[in-house]
Amino acid sequence: MMFFTKSEKTIVFNVVRQFVYFCLVFAFVGLLNFLSSVYHQQTFAEHCIVENIQLGLLITSGVIFLAQLKLRPEYACVLWLLASCSFLGACREMDMFFDKNLPIISWRIGFIFPLIALYKAWQYRWCLKKTLLRFFTSPAFYMMCCAMMIVLPIAQYIGHRPLMVNVLGTTKIAAVKELFEEALEAVGYLLIFLSSIECYFSLPKTVKVKVNRK
């Protein structure tokens, strides 16, 4: 490393981190394979092991984003936005719990987190543009984009019932649908978790902190 310039060392460090993340995703998929040998048909069932892992990843990601407020207070609006997405996703994963204990509103109670994020965006509006642009050029942003592409269009539509019926030619595809959808979502949530860690490394501390600027 002594032969690299400071900017080159930063690039190398970024590449090394991405390789570590790749290895962790690879290991996680291996873990899912191992869990399937233990839990069999219950692996991706409601309230079973994989769903609990998904919930844990989302909640932990949100907590990590918020914990960074002490280290990166100038990125409060961005961190609150990311944390709110994680907590909203966690509420969505707990839909059966909320359907039972909070009828009508159900998991939608989680939208309180994006509302908090909007308030924080207003509170830090003086530096919102600068911090958002810095985040949009960071590796954490691209990891988050990749995660959202997996969780939303890929997981939801690869695991879409009509697609399964068209390909498999049978209506008894509940278990197959659950396998594709939940497995892909789990990988997406892992990427969100990794992006919460990446935020610490890839968000430069260069914005002066001011709150409630008139």
Side-chain angles (χ1 to χ4, degrees):
M1 295 293 288
M2 60 181 298
F3 301 106
F4 292 104
T5 65
K6 184 178 179 180
S7 60
E8 290 172 340
K9 288 180 180 179
T10 299
I11 294 173
V12 171
F13 189 37
N14 287 340
V15 172
V16 170
R17 287 201 312 276
Q18 297 304 315
F19 176 73
V20 172
Y21 298 147
F22 171 82
C23 292
L24 290 174
V25 172
F26 204 96
F28 183 75
V29 175
L31 174 64
L32 293 180
N33 184 64
F34 169 75
L35 292 175
S36 69
S37 69
V38 176
Y39 293 91
H40 303 289
Q41 291 88 348
Q42 294 300 310
T43 305
F44 299 98
E46 201 78 26
H47 301 306
C48 201
I49 183 65
V50 171
E51 185 173 270
N52 290 333
I53 290 175
Q54 292 174 339
L55 187 60
L57 287 171
L58 288 169
I59 293 175
T60 304
S61 300
V63 171
I64 292 175
F65 283 129
L66 293 184
Q68 292 181 63
L69 290 172
K70 290 291 184 180
L71 303 172
R72 296 287 190 272
E74 65 273 26
Y75 291 97
C77 53
V78 172
L79 293 172
W80 270 104
L81 174 62
L82 297 173
S84 72
C85 292
S86 298
F87 291 138
L88 177 60
C91 290
R92 182 65 182 86
E93 288 300 317
M94 297 173 64
D95 56 347
M96 288 188 67
F97 170 82
F98 284 115
D99 286 343
K100 181 179 179 181
N101 296 280
L102 193 64
I104 302 177
I105 298 178
S106 186
W107 63 271
R108 297 172 188 83
I109 188 67
F111 279 104
I112 192 173
F113 296 111
L115 290 176
I116 295 174
L118 288 174
Y119 168 73
K120 289 296 179 180
W122 173 257
Q123 190 178 26
Y124 284 82
R125 61 191 181 280
W126 63 273
C127 65
L128 181 61
K129 177 181 177 182
K130 182 178 292 186
T131 53
L132 281 176
L133 289 176
R134 288 185 181 276
F135 173 66
F136 291 156
T137 58
S138 70
F141 170 70
Y142 297 109
M143 289 181 66
M144 184 65 72
C145 285
C146 182
M148 297 311 295
M149 284 189 284
I150 293 175
V151 171
L152 295 176
I154 298 178
Q156 300 307 313
Y157 286 98
I158 295 297
H160 195 43
R161 184 180 182 84
L163 186 151
M164 293 291 174
V165 172
N166 290 336
V167 173
L168 300 178
T170 176
T171 57
K172 298 180 179 180
I173 44 79
V176 179
K177 174 183 181 300
E178 197 171 60
L179 166 64
F180 277 93
E181 184 175 338
E182 298 300 324
L184 288 169
E185 283 184 353
V187 173
Y189 295 153
L190 175 66
L191 288 177
I192 292 176
F193 169 73
L194 295 177
S195 70
S196 70
I197 297 174
E198 177 60 28
C199 272
Y200 172 78
F201 296 103
S202 61
L203 292 182
K205 191 173 182 179
T206 56
V207 184
K208 294 182 180 180
V209 181
K210 293 180 184 179
V211 183
N212 294 327
R213 184 178 178 182
K214 302 297 183 181

